[in-house]
Amino acid sequence: MRNNNSLLANLDWATVLIFLALTFMGWVSIYSAVYDEEYSSIFDMSQRYGKQMIWIILAIVLGFIVMLTDAKFFSAFAFPIYFLILIVLVGVLLFGITIAGSKSWFQIGGFALQPSEFAKFGTALALAAYLGRLNADLSQLKTKLVAIGIIVLPALLILAQYDTGSAIVFSVFVLVLYREGMSGAIMVIALIAAILFIATIYTEQMYVLIGLLVLFGVSLMFIKRHIINIMKLIGLFLIAATFVLSVDYVFHHVLEPHQTSRINVLLGLQTDLKGAGYNVNQSKIAIGSGGFFGKGFLNGTQTKYNFVPEQSTDFIFCTVGEEYGFAGSLIVIGLYLTLLIRIVTMAERQRSVFSRVYGYGVASILFFHFAINIGMTIGLVPVIGIPLPFFSYGGSSLWAFTIMLFVFLRLDAYRLNTL
Amino acid sequence: MKKNLYATRQNIIIFIFMAVAVLFVGKLFYLQIINTSYKLSSQNNVLRYMTQFPARGKMFDRNGKVLVYNESAYDMMVTPKLVKQMDTLEFCRLLKIDRHNFLARFKKASAHSRHRASIFLEQVSKEDYAYIAEKLYHFPGFYFQARTLRKYPSPIAAHILGDVGEVNQKNIDDNHYYKSGDYIGKSGMERHYEEAVRGKKGLKIVMVDVYNRAKGSFENGRYDTLPVAGKDLVLGLDAMLQQYGEELMRGKTGSVVAIDPTSGEILALVTSPGYDPNLLVGRVRGANYNKLLEQPEKPLINRAISGTYPPGSTFKLVNALVALHTGAITPSTQFSCQGKSSSPIKCTHSHQSPLPLAPAIENSCNSYFWNTFRNILYNHKYHDLKDAYEDWQNLMFSFGFGKPFDTDIPFELPGNVPTRAYFDKVYQGSWNAMTVRSLAIGQGEILLTPLQLANEVAIIGNKGFYYPPHLIRKIGDGDSIDPSYTTKRYTGIDARHFDVVKNAMRDVFEGAHGTARYNKIEGIDAGGKTGTVQNPHGEDHSLFIAFAPFDNPKIAISVVVENAGYGSQWAAPIATLMIEKYLTGDVKRKELEEKILTKNFNEEANAEQQ
């Protein structure tokens, strides 16, 4: 057994390097995105790039603190942390301030803190702690329900803050559940649901229902026609039909107009380039105009002249695409993919279920942010306002992601000491 | 430790991660490498092409006096998207427009584009501009763009100089140089010399941010072009003479055309009634144009070039020349005249009888010229009368009659020389000298413009040649003008025949019976010819043509005063006053001048009607 006190030797440096690379690139990109000739120093504290530098330094300090914390603290205090965050989420509903339509911020001095960013971390911890118990078995209904409950509870509170984007992130825990033994059918069903969802919005619901009916008829000819099979098929058909009808209802009666129009723009049903599609279109122009090697540092015209709204936060990837081109984008995507695979591999080498589940939680959350954020800047996913991990401007998200990642690094460094 | 049952599922999860990454790379490859339209879009986003308008060339008269110059004016531009909540009332007060007007203009601009600037209000004057510019920061989205407006130091020669207006769709379609909102010469010199006068627009490419705020020049101005100022024009016009002519013609309907016979340059081209060229400048152009269009006196018509009149007795000179040339008469050929009982054309002048050519011109004897014309047509030289007529007709064309000179004078009408074919058609082939007898004394189908009349007298003064009348003298720093303008054109008449006619024209002033004997100019040797043109619609038109000095003419002039009676009564005094003014710079016959200046036919006609 290696020396358990040598933290530095056990730390996964590859992950730390990727973390540092992404944070640094994010910082430079923020500098490009909000560059102002009057305040041309990247260290200027009055500008976002100056502030981001402070957030990065503080994030690294937080990372250190995490590394110095006893690894057992996180499993022991998983639930207290989770419940504390739930209380804070309720608190933000009562005492929070509203920024960009979401009541999800605490004003602390001149700084706005977004607790929902930390809720993902808390949920990952709680889920890991719950599934890490000796008698946890996901094939049992009760375990399933509790696990889903742990995930859904903070999501609902965040939804109540009108921060739909952050709430949707919690759906990614399905990956963790799948890894821990939940039926794969759940993912297939989700996929089919997504197809039906898009089909319903694309066409009249009547056509989708007719299509389902035809499918039902065709299936009847191919299966062995005894009563149980037929009943199953009818059941499936009824569930699918109900889903289609409710999607139509939700789309037209429940979703806010800006949400329906974002989905419409994504599906190409709405081409109002100056309206809802404006961000995405300008973002695609920015990235597309980058070419292979990009326009170079600070030479992005789309970027520099504010054509892309929210560019330092949700649309930060535009800066990469425009100034560093296809080559730069490839590097960033490569870094994220390496990081994700690395975390999964590391999770698999954990001896404790807690550490493994937690590792999958971290990977899933990072993956979801990565997929949705970059996906929306290149027009593959609807505009959902969630940050690109380590990259986007903002203290809350950077700190939350850093803590989340470093807790896992701490657990990993400690893995040889358990049992 | 629990058994790790589902470890293989990590592969599926990693596969999902990789699938998403591959999907992104594919889409990025398409956006950044394959599809090039995004590069274009990003340029269009950020580059604003700002037109730099050149100053239009100025115009000067032959003595260097300014006829047209430029004055700065400012178009107010608006970018609707940038307009914020504002004090509309105050804004309207500043611009002197009402609220309704404001809304209509704003709506128009918004319909054009919400994101791009368009003209909100054209041509705000320099004075208003200074006042408004100070307060403009209250009204984001509005800014001024400098333009130039035409300005006329003295309100003369409106028809010649022409006017400038916004291009129409046809201009834009015909010539890609023009963009909506550009100015173009609409008439006169402005139109004919548009290409020289307009200069060349420059282009400045500016990088802007999403709020359309300029952020500096594109690639350090490598693609910018400077505007090239328009070329100045020097006209053959004499501003002093032109102004004098306009004053003399005030209250009368008609025209004065003065040509320099040695070059064909037009010295004065007066049409009456006229208008002030400053009326057709800038924002008010459209409204004023329509007003002028509706006036019953039709001031927009340039009678000097698009009024056509039978030349009357002034035409006898031409018939005399043709007759001498074809041998139909000699200077000593005599015809008798029975005065009012002459047939087929009666003569209204009382004089000796019979008489030879020179006194016939001096007295403007109708009988003499009927006989002369008959001799032209019944000439044994020709196979028949129609051949003789065709020769006559061709000689008419050689005087520049029946077709436009086609120089830089726009909207010139050709007048009319009736052709052999025309008469064949009208009289079904059976016609003779009697049928077309009116031509003998310049009545009937023959129609000339005052410009052609002036050219006729220039030809006689020059004894047989002319330069096509034109307005331009010099373009810019001496670019060559159209060489056809400076090429001599000869009539078909031998030079030797001109002396007798020219001398007879002197007798019109000097002779005891000369029809213009009361209009002699002290100290100036001149030649002239009166004309009194029958007009089926009312009072006769008063015509006079003249040239001076006699030996080396410097000015040839035609005057037409509509519905004014005898040529000697109104047209002759005006013509001789013009000659005196041009050659001596002053007028000694103050009494005559006063009489002409105060005469107002138009008011009198109106008074009679009421």
Side-chain angles (χ1 to χ4, degrees), chain B residues 158-229:
Chain B
H159 294 88
I160 299 173
L161 302 175
D163 62 327
V164 173
E166 252 180 63
V167 290
N168 55 34
Q169 195 53 46
K170 196 178 172 305
N171 300 141
I172 298 171
D173 294 342
D174 289 351
N175 189 333
H176 293 303
Y177 176 83
Y178 298 104
K179 299 269 178 308
S180 178
D182 283 0
Y183 293 143
I184 190 172
K186 292 278 184 190
S187 63
M189 296 294 277
E190 300 277 17
R191 175 175 156 132
H192 193 88
Y193 291 101
E194 164 71 11
E195 229 167 287
V197 172
R198 75 175 178 213
K200 199 161 176 293
K201 285 186 286 190
L203 187 66
K204 194 171 170 187
I205 309 176
V206 181
M207 314 248 285
V208 294
D209 68 3
V210 71
Y211 303 112
N212 239 324
R213 292 180 304 211
K215 287 284 178 182
S217 66
F218 176 60
E219 308 237 320
N220 283 323
R222 194 189 307 167
Y223 302 106
D224 293 0
T225 51
L226 285 173
V228 179

Side-chain angles (χ1 to χ4, degrees), chain B residues 181-383:
Chain B
D182 283 0
Y183 293 143
I184 190 172
K186 292 278 184 190
S187 63
M189 296 294 277
E190 300 277 17
R191 175 175 156 132
H192 193 88
Y193 291 101
E194 164 71 11
E195 229 167 287
V197 172
R198 75 175 178 213
K200 199 161 176 293
K201 285 186 286 190
L203 187 66
K204 194 171 170 187
I205 309 176
V206 181
M207 314 248 285
V208 294
D209 68 3
V210 71
Y211 303 112
N212 239 324
R213 292 180 304 211
K215 287 284 178 182
S217 66
F218 176 60
E219 308 237 320
N220 283 323
R222 194 189 307 167
Y223 302 106
D224 293 0
T225 51
L226 285 173
V228 179
K231 288 174 182 161
D232 292 344
L233 301 183
V234 178
L235 278 67
L237 208 72
D238 184 315
M240 178 267 298
L241 189 66
Q242 174 76 23
Q243 179 154 11
Y244 188 57
E246 289 188 17
E247 282 165 14
L248 290 175
M249 287 302 289
R250 196 156 296 146
K252 303 151 193 86
T253 302
S255 61
V256 178
V257 180
I259 300 177
D260 179 352
T262 65
S263 64
E265 284 167 12
I266 288 172
L267 300 169
L269 196 83
V270 177
T271 175
S272 181
Y275 61 92
D276 182 343
N278 288 305
L279 288 177
L280 294 190
V281 172
R283 214 159 59 216
V284 291
R285 180 180 181 271
N288 281 341
Y289 187 86
N290 286 332
K291 262 189 232 159
L292 288 172
L293 206 60
E294 282 164 14
Q295 283 181 19
E297 305 85 32
K298 302 203 181 340
L300 288 175
I301 290 181
N302 187 349
R303 291 176 161 78
I305 49 171
S306 25
T308 57
Y309 306 87
S313 298
T314 59
F315 195 63
K316 288 169 182 166
L317 304 169
V318 182
N319 271 339
L321 288 165
V322 175
L324 291 169
H325 179 74
T326 58
I329 59 166
T330 67
S332 53
T333 305
Q334 299 208 9
F335 294 110
S336 59
C337 173
Q338 275 83 47
K340 293 204 159 90
S341 52
S342 299
S343 166
I345 304 172
K346 60 186 180 182
C347 180
T348 51
H349 306 275
S350 55
H351 49 75
Q352 65 187 96
S353 171
L355 76 181
L357 176 59
I361 292 174
E362 181 192 336
N363 287 295
S364 199
C365 174
N366 286 350
S367 308
Y368 190 94
F369 284 97
W370 153 244
N371 284 304
T372 303
F373 190 59
R374 198 184 49 189
N375 278 14
I376 293 172
L377 296 185
Y378 296 111
N379 189 334
H380 297 303
K381 244 172 69 178
Y382 300 102
H383 174 253

